[in-house]
Amino acid sequence: MSSATLKLRQKRSMTRLLNQGRSILEYNFDPNAFVIPQWILAPPEVRNAMLTLQYKAMIAVYGMKSLMIARDHRYFELCPKNMGAIVYQLHQSSMRRLLEWKEDWNFADPTLAAAAKIPRDTLQFCVDSISYGKFTCDYTNKIDGFMSGPFQNWRQFRMEIGHLAFRLMSHNSHDYTEWRVWWEGKFANDMWKWEGCLEGLILPTWEEIIDDVYLMINDRVEDAQELANSFYISTRGLASTT
């Protein structure tokens, strides 16, 4: 591995650590997280409001999952559809094969043979910065719509429940304290399990996604250096096929 490739790998690894969180696709929505414990003497109005909050949270979670699925399709959006069905399908199949390649070698079992790398001649990519730019614009609009819609609705109603509980329970300091401990403790922690996945929705820039594909080619394709170099250099223009 060249020093330039090593530095690029280190840079991309650091960027991913800083900019990307957990994937929302790994999160399983739990309705029970919205059930106020029976030992907390919360009024029926507050308990009923939590059912509405559960629904708004579910809408937000599934909205995030839809966005993540769109984000996970980003590698295929590098190829313009107007290049023709054959070119587009070749890029799709090549990209899918690159993404699905797994390294079989196991440090704990060094006798296990390494996975065979992908033959260089079986891959053909077509990438275009304008195509990815259009995808980025569309994806950004979806993010904006989600943040100002389902996510804002969830956050707003959550705040309203906090105000409602204060109005109805603050006269009894013991009950209200128990509520606050649960509301700001376990409940908030349970919600962060999916709210914290927002960072994982960040879309890589054109430069970053090209760097990622370049590194995958280096790792997963046999005799990859020529393909990786030509791919990396040619993509600094507007469109290219490799």
Side-chain angles (χ1 to χ4, degrees):
M1 182 188 303
S2 68
S3 60
T5 301
L6 178 60
K7 289 179 180 179
L8 177 59
R9 191 180 306 283
Q10 292 170 339
K11 175 185 174 183
R12 291 300 297 131
S13 296
M14 182 60 67
T15 302
R16 281 190 288 268
L17 285 173
L18 291 174
N19 294 339
Q20 296 185 9
R22 300 182 302 276
S23 170
I24 187 64
L25 298 179
E26 300 169 0
Y27 174 79
N28 294 318
F29 186 79
D30 182 13
N32 293 323
F34 297 83
V35 178
I36 303 172
Q38 290 298 321
W39 48 265
I40 297 177
L41 300 180
E45 295 89 340
V46 176
R47 291 188 181 274
N48 291 336
M50 289 298 293
L51 294 177
T52 303
L53 185 66
Q54 174 191 320
Y55 175 75
K56 291 182 181 294
M58 183 179 66
I59 295 298
V61 167
Y62 284 101
M64 287 174 65
K65 289 194 175 190
S66 177
L67 287 167
M68 181 58 77
I69 291 172
R71 180 188 183 276
D72 285 350
H73 200 259
R74 63 194 181 277
Y75 293 104
F76 305 109
E77 298 295 338
L78 291 169
C79 178
K81 295 180 176 65
N82 61 9
M83 290 296 291
I86 294 178
V87 172
Y88 185 71
Q89 289 171 9
L90 282 171
H91 173 84
Q92 294 254 320
S93 61
S94 297
M95 202 68 248
R96 188 172 290 109
R97 193 169 182 184
L98 194 63
L99 291 167
E100 291 176 351
W101 184 90
K102 301 293 183 184
E103 186 172 21
D104 292 335
W105 187 80
N106 187 342
F107 180 79
D109 184 11
T111 61
L112 186 65
K117 292 192 174 184
I118 305 168
R120 182 257 181 274
D121 293 338
T122 64
L123 302 178
Q124 182 172 323
F125 302 101
C126 174
V127 296
D128 175 26
S129 62
I130 295 177
S131 178
Y132 189 67
K134 291 178 180 178
F135 170 69
T136 299
C137 182
D138 180 63
Y139 181 81
T140 301
N141 288 336
K142 290 179 180 178
I143 288 283
D144 290 343
F146 169 77
M147 294 301 294
S148 61
F151 192 76
Q152 176 61 25
N153 293 339
W154 140 257
R155 295 290 291 178
Q156 179 64 32
F157 197 71
R158 179 177 175 177
M159 184 171 60
E160 290 175 8
I161 290 181
H163 294 328
L164 176 66
F166 176 78
R167 289 200 313 272
L168 299 179
M169 301 177 67
S170 60
H171 64 281
N172 188 320
S173 60
H174 175 72
D175 292 344
Y176 184 62
T177 297
E178 287 191 328
W179 154 265
R180 286 284 298 274
V181 169
W182 176 78
W183 179 250
E184 298 176 359
K186 186 179 186 309
F187 180 75
N189 290 336
D190 285 341
M191 297 304 102
W192 184 246
K193 291 176 183 177
W194 64 269
E195 282 188 314
C197 295
L198 275 173
E199 292 182 355
L201 296 176
I202 296 173
L203 191 67
T205 64
W206 164 256
E207 290 78 11
E208 289 170 338
I209 195 170
I210 291 302
D211 286 345
D212 288 340
V213 176
Y214 170 81
L215 292 174
M216 281 193 287
I217 291 174
N218 261 289
D219 291 341
R220 304 175 184 188
V221 179
E222 66 181 17
D223 301 323
Q225 196 59 54
E226 181 182 351
L227 172 62
N229 287 342
S230 62
F231 174 87
Y232 194 66
I233 293 170
S234 63
T235 53
R236 295 314 173 185
L238 290 181
S240 64
T241 57
T242 302

